Amino acid sequence: MRPESVLLLSGAALVPWLYVLARTLPSTAPVGHWNVAWVGLDALEALGLLSTAALRRRGDDRHRLTAAATAALLVVDAWFDTVTAAPGGELAAAVAMALCAELPLAAVCTALALGRHPRPSERRTVREDRRFTPGRRPTRR
């Protein structure tokens, strides 16, 4: 079976499972190792940010992979922070962190993963942008 077929079938199988979960899971639950879960998630985010920066500085295109994974981790962190926060100050702090840190960093990582932020050595100068290109008349300034 091709990987695309496995992914398609797995994604489709999750749809009814989501309904089962929504109907059967309790809205609250005591959790063991809560601190380990959050420290682990934040440690993975730090590792992702640092490795993305290091790979990009070296000119290694694998930074796109770490950037994509880090973007996903940051979005998951923002989601779980906000949906698990208690009403009031805790929720306000979670929303502030999501809007001011996690989601903007996720957007930067996504742009890096998609190649939307060229390295300084790849950026064109203003003079290069005004070059004649085939099919377009040069403009004079």
Side-chain angles (χ1 to χ4, degrees):
M1 187 177 279
R2 294 180 15 203
E4 299 85 6
S5 299
V6 172
L7 295 174
L8 181 66
L9 290 172
S10 299
L14 280 174
V15 174
W17 180 243
L18 293 173
Y19 177 78
V20 171
L21 288 177
R23 303 288 294 163
T24 61
L25 284 176
S27 60
T28 62
V31 180
H33 308 293
W34 187 249
N35 57 340
V36 175
W38 286 111
V39 169
L41 179 59
D42 286 351
L44 287 172
E45 291 169 3
L47 180 63
L49 292 167
L50 293 169
S51 61
T52 299
L55 288 167
R56 186 171 158 82
R57 277 196 163 184
R58 288 194 319 210
D60 190 330
D61 276 343
R62 290 178 296 177
H63 78 273
R64 292 180 180 200
L65 299 173
T66 58
T70 304
L73 288 169
L74 288 162
V75 170
V76 167
D77 192 358
W79 171 259
F80 280 104
D81 278 346
T82 56
V83 299
T84 61
E90 190 177 316
L91 179 58
V95 169
M97 280 293 292
L99 294 177
C100 297
E102 293 154 346
L103 295 177
L105 279 171
V108 169
C109 287
T110 300
L112 288 172
L114 296 173
R116 301 275 167 83
H117 283 291
R119 287 181 206 71
S121 62
E122 296 171 349
R123 291 187 187 128
R124 292 185 188 169
T125 64
V126 174
R127 173 174 266 147
E128 287 175 313
D129 285 340
R130 292 185 188 155
R131 290 188 304 199
F132 172 78
T133 55
R136 193 175 119 206
R137 296 183 75 189
T139 57
R140 293 188 183 197
R141 299 214 180 231

